[in-house]
């Protein structure tokens, strides 16, 4: 059984504060695109920083994105996938938008390592899903997803546990603006014992979809589902 509460009592943590970070990389349109170790030497694309992040199982990389007036464009076919353990942090959910404009793209970003994203905006177009995460203890905080311009079936957030049950995750203070014909706001597949707090999903075909018999004992607190054809 999953538990829904509407007390609206979010708990905001320090994200990666106090956790081991083995490298820090920077992304900015004003960087020189050399090695990403400072704002002056910042990579100019998120792709480059993710490519540079170590895939060693014991490594953990924080990637900081500078504000940008136009989206950081992944511009990569299918599901652009990175396996590093990463925390991607923007300055504000409206100040560092991410998109994937490639004609053959199926998602903006897929993270298969231990990962978190904070203060980012995901701008979806066409039939492009927003964010896919496949590891337990996933974190999505203070992010926004906009798929109102999509023209095909999409998910804004896809937590994919098809390779094994995902546990210990958290989605917190996240807003999705969808398309009532095409969007599933949050799609949870084989997820158990996760926390979802302060979630707004509006104008979606489905606000939250939970699949797989093992998806159990999840906790929902402060959920607002408005203008959706099917809320849950």
């Amino acid at each position: 059984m999953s538990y829904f509460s509407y007390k609206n009592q979010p708990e905001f943590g320090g994200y990666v504060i106090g956790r081991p970070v083995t490298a820090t990389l920077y992304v900015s349109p004003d960087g020189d695109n050399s090695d990403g170790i400072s704002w002056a030497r910042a990579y100019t694309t998120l792709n480059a920083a993710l490519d540079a992040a170590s895939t060693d199982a014991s490594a953990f990389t924080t990637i900081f994105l500078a504000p940008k007036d136009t989206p950081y464009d992944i511009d990569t076919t299918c599901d652009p996938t990175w396996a590093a353990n990463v925390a991607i942090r923007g300055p504000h959910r409206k100040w560092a938008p991410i998109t994937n404009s490639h004609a053959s793209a199926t998602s903006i970003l897929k993270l298969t390592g231990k990962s978190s994203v904070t203060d980012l905006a995901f701008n979806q177009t066409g039939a492009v899903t927003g964010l896919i995460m496949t590891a337990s203890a996933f974190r999505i905080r203070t992010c926004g997803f906009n798929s109102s311009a999509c023209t095909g079936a999409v998910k804004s957030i896809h937590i994919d546990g098809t390779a094994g049950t995902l546990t210990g995750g958290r989605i917190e203070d996240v807003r999705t603006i969808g398309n009532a014909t095409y969007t599933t706001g949050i799609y949870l597949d084989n997820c158990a014992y996760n926390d979802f707090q302060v979630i707004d999903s509006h104008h979606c075909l489905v606000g939250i979809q939970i699949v797989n018999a093992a998806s159990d004992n999840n906790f929902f607190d402060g959920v607002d589902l408005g203008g959706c054809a099917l809320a849950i």
Side-chain angles (χ1 to χ4, degrees):
M1 177 180 292
S2 294
Y3 302 92
F4 285 81
S5 169
Y6 294 89
K7 293 180 292 183
N8 196 20
Q9 297 177 348
E11 173 190 347
F12 294 97
Y15 313 129
V16 297
I17 294 174
R19 300 178 188 175
V21 174
T22 54
T24 301
L25 299 173
Y26 298 87
V27 179
S28 169
D30 298 326
D32 69 5
N33 203 37
S34 56
D35 54 21
I37 64 171
S38 69
W39 286 117
R41 300 170 66 91
Y43 293 115
T44 55
T45 66
L46 176 57
N47 306 46
L50 287 166
D51 288 342
S54 173
T55 56
D56 189 288
S58 59
F60 191 86
T61 302
T62 297
I63 298 174
F64 288 104
L65 273 69
K68 193 170 183 286
D69 291 336
T70 57
Y72 289 98
D73 191 354
I74 301 297
D75 193 18
T76 302
T77 188
C78 299
D79 296 330
T81 303
W82 284 273
N85 301 328
V86 293
I88 306 173
R89 304 189 67 182
H92 188 281
R93 71 176 125 217
K94 288 185 176 292
W95 298 344
I98 301 172
T99 194
N100 189 348
S101 67
H102 196 285
S104 299
T106 51
S107 70
I108 294 176
L109 192 62
K110 182 176 181 178
L111 302 174
T112 62
K114 300 174 179 66
S115 53
S116 69
V117 296
T118 307
D119 288 325
L120 297 173
F122 290 79
N123 293 348
Q124 300 169 242
T125 59
V128 176
T129 281
L131 174 64
I132 304 171
M133 302 178 86
T134 69
S136 288
F138 54 87
R139 293 290 188 271
I140 306 173
R141 282 186 163 113
T142 55
C143 289
F145 295 79
N146 191 328
S147 59
S148 59
C150 283
T151 55
V154 298
K155 304 172 182 70
S156 288
I157 298 171
H158 181 181
I159 305 301
D160 183 2
T162 52
T165 305
L166 300 188
T167 62
R170 179 182 289 265
I171 299 177
E172 183 176 29
D173 190 13
V174 168
R175 296 180 174 90
T176 66
I177 302 296
N179 182 303
T181 302
Y182 298 117
T183 303
T184 297
I186 299 175
Y187 185 87
L188 307 174
D189 186 355
N190 200 14
C191 298
Y193 299 97
N194 302 285
D195 291 325
F196 306 94
Q197 300 190 28
V198 193
I199 307 296
D200 295 339
S201 268
H202 289 180
H203 309 300
C204 295
L205 178 64
V206 180
I208 299 173
Q209 185 171 357
I210 305 170
V211 301
N212 197 301
S215 293
D216 201 359
N217 290 291
N218 294 296
F219 182 80
F220 295 82
D221 181 10
V223 177
D224 181 11
L225 305 173
C228 298
L230 178 63
I232 299 171

